[in-house]
Amino acid sequence: MKYRLLSLFSLSVLILTSCVPVSTTSYNAGKKLLFDNVDCEDNVGMVQLFPFSQNLQSELENPVLEVGNENGFLLQFDLFEENYSSLNVRYIHCNKDWTPSGLSDIRFLNEYNSFAINNYQYSSNTRKKYVQYAVQLPSPHISGNYLVVVSNSNSNDDIIFSRRALVYDRTANAQGDIQMSSSVKERKTNQQVAFSVNYSGLNNVNPLRDIYVVLLQNHNWDVALKELKPTLVRHDESYLEFHHFNSENNFPGANEFRYFDLRSIDFKGMNVANVKKEEGRVLAFLGTDKPRGSLAYSQLIQDLNGKYFLVNSDPGDSQLQSEYVDVYFELKSDKIAGEVFVTGRFNNWTRTPENRMIYAPERNSYRGKVLLKQGYYDYRYWVESPSLKPGYFEGNYFQTTNDYEILVYYRDPINNFDELIGYKSIKSEF
């Protein structure tokens, strides 16, 4: 693969919008590598990992590639710093449960598994200074789960952040559709993934031992369904069927995502009540949200199923002039027995102090603040409580549009690592 990194990065900037000293930033070495979507430094801004293409919608795609894809992944991210830092990125092959497989680099790459991130640009006239980095990564030639890890070039232990990616082949064929739950009790709230797997591309397989399936909703690993056993096995046809009747393959339908348009800080976008510019920062106050759990289902706009995209629509501005904005959320509600978080793909569905909502009794509402770059965002409120469901404020409806992924893993007893031999993406439509 030829790496035309500077031109590729310029192309990505054009898609998103119509040399200096090395940084002396001090990082903490010896961090523990967590095999998840994790930022290990406070200066990490927005991170995007997606299949590289000239498609205008490519940044909305999940970080999933087929083996043999010549374009690979595009990794783009910001670091809040004034000068460029010398960074490297590498792959780590993982098993289906995101533990390291031990597969050597030479097995899944034809080149040295350490890619210098030399393509960078500086923000221009922004209140919060940042350096924007980009690197094109090749597609590994063995399927499976991969952790993409960015580190200081001086030490792989000096980790900046990590992101999950999937590389699959077509050894197995998965087919499925989304249905109402077969459980009468959950028929109005849940969605059921009924699917089958044909593994005729494999020889001498014990499917109950060697094949493993994971289901994802909106590419959220926190709610993944695992340990599903087939309801029908046809050895002579190399065929597995997963048509469960006890809600094993059910997901709460949730609700259509809330959203806001922060592409401009000069004008108020949809669901942005006010934008305030100060000397050292920009603040955006969203319209006050209300609980939707007791309301009838409605779909006023086609959402992004939790995704976001970055773009600056202010007249005369480039992508490098996009501001980072303190976005204020407010949810009108009595105090509940639990904690409330604002989540979405923008923070990888995590629930941390940075996106936790604090109850303000004087306003009878939950309030929170998240630092986000100019763009368009989907979001949802998540509840952690011993007595309330995560979707307490949003509601669950079987009609909700969601994206689903069927991941089919295979462990060859000889190889002793997990391969992703089948992949299928489907959307719920009722």
Side-chain angles (χ1 to χ4, degrees):
M1 179 184 296
K2 295 182 179 179
Y3 294 100
R4 294 168 289 118
L5 293 181
L6 188 57
S7 60
L8 288 170
F9 185 62
S10 300
L11 173 61
S12 69
V13 171
L14 288 174
I15 290 173
L16 291 173
T17 66
S18 19
C19 293
V20 293
V22 173
S23 170
T24 57
T25 303
S26 177
Y27 295 105
N28 298 317
K31 304 160 194 167
K32 182 179 180 180
L33 178 60
L34 302 176
F35 287 78
D36 205 340
N37 300 310
V38 176
D39 297 337
C40 298
E41 290 287 344
D42 294 335
N43 70 332
V44 178
M46 303 302 295
V47 178
Q48 294 177 294
L49 177 66
F50 51 89
F52 178 81
S53 76
Q54 297 185 24
N55 186 337
L56 294 175
Q57 301 295 319
S58 60
E59 70 171 294
L60 289 173
E61 295 182 20
N62 293 323
V64 180
L65 279 183
E66 185 175 358
V67 168
N69 184 301
E70 295 183 356
N71 293 324
F73 291 106
L74 181 65
L75 174 65
Q76 296 182 158
F77 61 95
D78 298 336
L79 294 184
F80 300 126
E81 55 187 8
E82 295 190 3
N83 295 316
Y84 156 75
S85 293
S86 180
L87 305 173
N88 286 339
V89 57
R90 71 189 191 278
Y91 285 115
I92 299 177
H93 187 275
C94 300
N95 290 316
K96 61 181 182 296
D97 59 356
W98 291 100
T99 56
S101 68
L103 188 66
S104 62
D105 298 347
I106 197 172
R107 293 284 302 278
F108 60 81
L109 280 179
N110 292 324
E111 51 210 290
Y112 186 61
N113 185 22
S114 182
F115 306 94
I117 308 177
N118 296 323
N119 192 2
Y120 58 92
Q121 299 190 56
Y122 290 83
S123 64
S124 175
N125 299 320
T126 56
R127 291 163 176 81
K128 192 174 184 67
K129 296 183 183 298
Y130 58 88
V131 181
Q132 189 174 61
Y133 297 82
V135 61
Q136 187 188 12
L137 300 174
S139 175
H141 54 253
I142 287 183
S143 66
N145 292 352
Y146 284 88
L147 193 72
V148 175
V149 184
V150 172
S151 307
N152 191 308
S153 61
N154 294 324
S155 172
N156 282 341
D157 294 330
D158 197 349
I159 305 162
I160 311 303
F161 65 83
S162 59
R163 290 297 184 269
R164 290 178 173 183
L166 300 176
V167 178
Y168 70 94
D169 61 45
R170 296 182 182 271
T171 306
N173 179 36
Q175 297 293 332
D177 65 305
I178 312 303
Q179 308 167 349
M180 296 172 61
S181 175
S182 59
S183 168
V184 175
K185 180 181 178 181
E186 299 170 322
R187 186 158 296 176
K188 294 183 178 181
T189 61
N190 284 15
Q191 295 176 343
Q192 180 167 294
V193 185
F195 63 101
S196 62
V197 175
N198 185 301
Y199 58 94
S200 57
L202 299 173
N203 297 316
N204 302 318
V205 176
N206 179 344
L208 297 179
R209 180 197 64 194
D210 303 332
I211 294 178
Y212 186 90
V213 177
V214 173
L215 302 180
L216 297 180
Q217 183 190 63
N218 299 324
H219 207 74
N220 182 355
W221 288 94
D222 288 348
V223 298
L225 289 184
K226 309 169 186 176
E227 308 291 345
L228 290 175
K229 301 299 181 183
T231 55
L232 176 64
V233 180
R234 294 178 181 171
H235 291 283
D236 58 329
E237 299 180 11
S238 301
Y239 176 84
L240 303 175
E241 196 170 90
F242 296 79
H243 288 186
H244 298 87
F245 296 98
N246 296 316
S247 303
E248 298 99 322
N249 55 345
N250 276 211
F251 288 87
N255 204 339
E256 304 298 341
F257 282 85
R258 305 175 193 257
Y259 63 93
F260 62 93
D261 185 347
L262 194 62
R263 289 176 288 182
S264 172
I265 60 170
D266 292 337
F267 305 96
K268 293 184 291 186
M270 288 289 292
N271 296 328
V272 177
N274 190 27
V275 176
K276 183 179 180 181
K277 299 178 185 178
E278 298 181 352
E279 183 177 349
R281 61 176 183 162
V282 180
L283 301 83
F285 300 87
L286 304 187
T288 302
D289 290 318
K290 297 179 181 179
R292 302 186 292 172
S294 60
L295 302 178
Y297 170 80
S298 65
Q299 186 183 47
L300 300 177
I301 190 172
Q302 186 71 41
D303 66 11
L304 302 176
N305 288 335
K307 300 175 183 178
Y308 69 95
F309 59 89
L310 303 178
V311 63
N312 185 338
S313 64
D314 287 323
D317 279 4
S318 69
Q319 181 70 9
L320 290 170
Q321 291 172 295
S322 290
E323 296 277 7
Y324 273 85
V325 181
D326 286 322
V327 180
Y328 287 82
F329 299 80
E330 183 168 11
L331 174 64
K332 203 75 174 177
S333 169
D334 293 334
K335 189 173 185 180
I336 63 170
E339 293 188 327
V340 182
F341 299 85
V342 56
T343 65
R345 282 286 288 275
F346 64 86
N347 67 351
N348 297 298
W349 312 102
T350 57
R351 280 90 66 194
T352 65
E354 287 72 28
N355 63 313
R356 183 165 66 93
M357 308 283 284
I358 305 299
Y359 190 71
E362 72 280 4
R363 298 180 63 92
N364 191 37
S365 64
Y366 284 90
R367 307 183 76 192
K369 180 186 71 173
V370 180
L371 184 66
L372 297 172
K373 197 175 184 180
Q374 282 183 250
Y376 186 99
Y377 292 84
D378 275 6
Y379 69 101
R380 187 179 278 168
Y381 294 109
W382 179 281
V383 171
E384 287 192 352
S385 167
S387 57
L388 301 175
K389 294 181 179 180
Y392 173 77
F393 287 119
E394 306 293 1
N396 287 301
Y397 305 91
F398 79 89
Q399 303 100 317
T400 303
T401 302
N402 289 299
D403 293 326
Y404 289 94
E405 295 163 280
I406 304 171
L407 313 180
V408 184
Y409 294 93
Y410 168 66
R411 173 171 286 246
D412 186 329
I414 297 177
N415 288 333
N416 202 34
F417 61 84
D418 294 327
E419 301 170 72
L420 182 55
I421 62 167
Y423 175 86
K424 182 68 175 180
S425 175
I426 28 182
K427 184 184 294 288
S428 60
E429 295 179 321
F430 292 92

